[in-house]
Amino acid sequence: MFYKDDRLALFIDGSNLYAAARTLGFDIDYKLLRQEFMRRGKLVRAFYYTALLENEEYSPIRPLVDWLNYNGFAMRTKPAKEYTDSQGRRKVKGNMDIELTVDAMELAPHVDHVVIFSGDGDFKPLVESLQRQGVRVSVVSTIRSQPPMIADELRRQADNFIELDELRDVIGRPPRDPRVASDRPTGEDAPEQPMAEVR
């Protein structure tokens, strides 16, 4: 499905990809991810979407955002909203679907192939629109989790489904021992996306 002359764009739904990788038991190495897709075609842009808790003194995702920003990713962030649900539990809401969709639609005339790292069924209309514009669409998620992390309608609509678990050896790194893990990246080591519950 990938051709060397393809102009490629990556659209990474940060919380969705993090949750899928976490379910499969590995962390994403974003440097390796970018290199892998540069190898598969002509990478035009790699977008990363996440919501940030603005009112926290230290956000655990800030080191990742900074690292990605300095290492070839176009960052799309917005403030996450905190609220308390009916059971009194603290919840965080930070859906980035509209931002991802707008960027993909704007970039569509300039690319041949779009890769969406998300299993969210809300992206089905986006995939249909990109396909009508002549853009091939691959979706990266997993069906190997219980339940599967990808919506069936999204998987059926995509031109190509890439099982995240099959990319483990290419873009993954072994989970770090929490007793020696640092909150901040060292060298080329980008931290993981810590906000799986953000939607």
Side-chain angles (χ1 to χ4, degrees):
M1 271 308 288
F2 289 86
Y3 305 103
K4 288 288 185 192
D5 291 337
D6 271 357
R7 293 169 301 166
L8 282 179
L10 311 182
F11 295 88
I12 301 169
D13 177 347
S15 63
N16 197 290
L17 179 60
Y18 170 75
R22 193 60 162 233
T23 301
L24 294 171
F26 73 97
D27 294 332
I28 305 288
D29 184 321
Y30 288 94
K31 181 179 182 184
L32 293 178
L33 185 150
R34 192 165 176 273
Q35 286 173 348
E36 173 62 19
F37 286 91
M38 286 173 72
R39 191 183 58 74
R40 293 186 183 206
K42 296 177 180 171
L43 187 60
V44 174
R45 192 76 72 236
F47 291 94
Y48 186 95
Y49 301 84
T50 191
L52 295 171
L53 284 170
E54 297 287 314
N55 58 351
E56 288 191 356
E57 201 169 296
Y58 171 73
S59 168
I61 193 174
R62 180 58 68 183
L64 172 64
V65 169
D66 292 343
W67 188 93
L68 291 170
N69 209 17
Y70 281 103
N71 287 276
F73 288 81
M75 297 305 300
R76 296 288 188 265
T77 63
K78 73 177 180 185
K81 292 180 173 56
E82 279 190 89
Y83 66 96
T84 305
D85 70 8
S86 57
Q87 279 82 44
R89 292 177 298 210
R90 180 176 161 257
K91 295 280 188 173
V92 179
K93 183 175 176 61
N95 193 313
M96 298 288 292
D97 293 2
I98 298 296
E99 290 82 355
L100 189 155
T101 299
V102 169
D103 286 341
M105 295 299 290
E106 287 180 350
L107 207 57
H110 308 288
V111 296
D112 305 301
H113 195 155
V114 159
V115 183
I116 300 173
F117 291 79
S118 181
D120 191 336
D122 290 345
F123 289 125
K124 181 179 185 278
L126 169 62
V127 173
E128 290 172 322
S129 177
L130 291 170
Q131 290 168 332
R132 285 193 300 271
Q133 296 177 66
V135 177
R136 284 191 323 285
V137 182
S138 292
V139 174
V140 180
S141 189
T142 185
I143 58 171
R144 295 187 181 163
S145 58
Q146 287 303 324
M149 296 287 289
I150 186 166
D152 191 54
E153 64 270 20
L154 180 64
R155 185 176 172 212
R156 289 173 187 266
Q157 186 63 48
D159 295 297
N160 185 30
F161 169 68
I162 301 171
E163 170 56 55
L164 180 61
D165 197 33
E166 291 176 8
L167 292 177
R168 179 192 302 256
D169 294 339
V170 182
I171 66 168
R173 58 178 189 192
R176 290 176 289 176
D177 184 337
R179 292 169 297 183
V180 296
S182 164
D183 284 340
R184 300 193 179 276
T186 55
E188 297 174 351
D189 186 68
E192 64 189 49
Q193 155 70 283
M195 292 181 68
E197 79 280 12
V198 173
R199 288 304 312 140

